[in-house]
Amino acid sequence: FFFQAEDGIRDSSVTGVQTCALPICVGVYPGTFDPITSGHMEVVRRSLRLVDKLIIGPATNIGKGPLFSLQERIDIIKDEIHEFSEADSGRIEVVPFDGLLIHFAREVGASVIIRGLRAVSDFEYEIQMANMNARMEPDIETIFLMASDRHQFIASSLVKDIARLGGDTSQFVSKRVFQRLKSKFAAS
């Protein structure tokens, strides 16, 4: 695929993936992350190949009735990114937000919004959001990363349902998140 930059088009397939041609390409990966799954972490890893700096933005999303509080989700994400190499972990920040994504992206200096797609059903909603965001801020691009076949079916809502009903979620989340889910549902 290609990046469009001010100084022209850079082909990422020539010598491997290249970062954006801007001085510093900041990407925002927004979501509820309630909880963060193996699929989310795949998008984080792959995003680091595309941007110089990645901001993971857990949204407040009270309307979705999250299982974990915003602070718990921030802590979980920070625990998960701790596994990255020191070089990569220095390129990731966790910054929560409330409000319009496009405003948040502008606020943190992002030139790219990164969204993961699992299935065709995600695409319809995501393309609408990307088009609305482009109308509000044409200088911020949206990049879609397709989930690998290993992670296409993983959704945080399904993971929570499985955990709530006493099922094993260990193949969908890290050991740390698995333990947090078990603790959360044992307490209720």
Side-chain angles (χ1 to χ4, degrees):
F1 74 110
F2 297 89
F3 291 106
Q4 177 68 45
E6 289 177 6
D7 63 346
I9 297 175
R10 295 176 74 177
D11 182 348
S12 63
S13 64
V14 175
T15 60
V17 176
Q18 299 175 7
T19 59
C20 298
L22 302 173
I24 293 183
C25 183
V26 177
V28 169
Y29 179 34
T32 306
F33 305 109
D34 185 41
I36 194 164
T37 67
S38 301
H40 291 126
M41 291 304 293
E42 176 192 2
V43 171
V44 169
R45 279 185 198 84
R46 291 170 59 201
S47 296
L48 287 171
R49 291 187 246 153
L50 303 174
V51 298
D52 298 312
K53 180 178 181 178
L54 180 65
I55 297 174
I56 302 173
T60 304
N61 278 354
I62 297 300
K64 283 190 171 183
L67 174 65
F68 294 98
S69 71
L70 180 60
Q71 189 57 56
E72 286 173 315
R73 288 182 280 137
I74 292 167
D75 293 343
I76 291 168
I77 295 166
K78 286 182 177 181
D79 285 348
E80 292 303 290
I81 62 174
H82 185 70
E83 74 182 43
F84 288 106
S85 71
E86 193 170 307
D88 283 340
S89 65
R91 298 173 43 219
I92 306 172
E93 276 186 63
V94 180
V95 181
F97 75 100
D98 188 22
L100 285 177
L101 170 58
I102 203 70
H103 290 166
F104 174 64
R106 196 179 310 136
E107 196 176 288
V108 297
S111 56
V112 175
I113 296 169
I114 298 166
R115 299 295 294 162
L117 292 177
R118 294 174 303 215
V120 173
S121 57
D122 288 345
F123 182 76
E124 201 169 312
Y125 172 76
E126 293 294 344
I127 196 71
Q128 285 181 312
M129 291 297 294
N131 286 329
M132 290 295 285
N133 287 337
R135 289 293 294 252
M136 290 187 284
E137 184 56 69
D139 291 335
I140 299 177
E141 295 290 340
T142 299
I143 295 176
F144 298 103
L145 295 178
M146 296 298 300
S148 68
D149 58 352
R150 280 183 23 196
H151 298 114
Q152 277 183 346
F153 59 90
I154 301 174
S156 292
S157 58
L158 295 175
V159 169
K160 288 185 290 191
D161 287 345
I162 293 167
R164 183 178 294 114
L165 296 170
D168 180 5
T169 59
S170 63
Q171 61 186 316
F172 312 120
V173 296
S174 72
K175 289 177 183 174
R176 291 176 296 273
V177 174
F178 175 75
Q179 289 304 320
R180 284 186 180 251
L181 281 165
K182 278 179 64 169
S183 296
K184 187 63 101 167
F185 286 114
S188 53

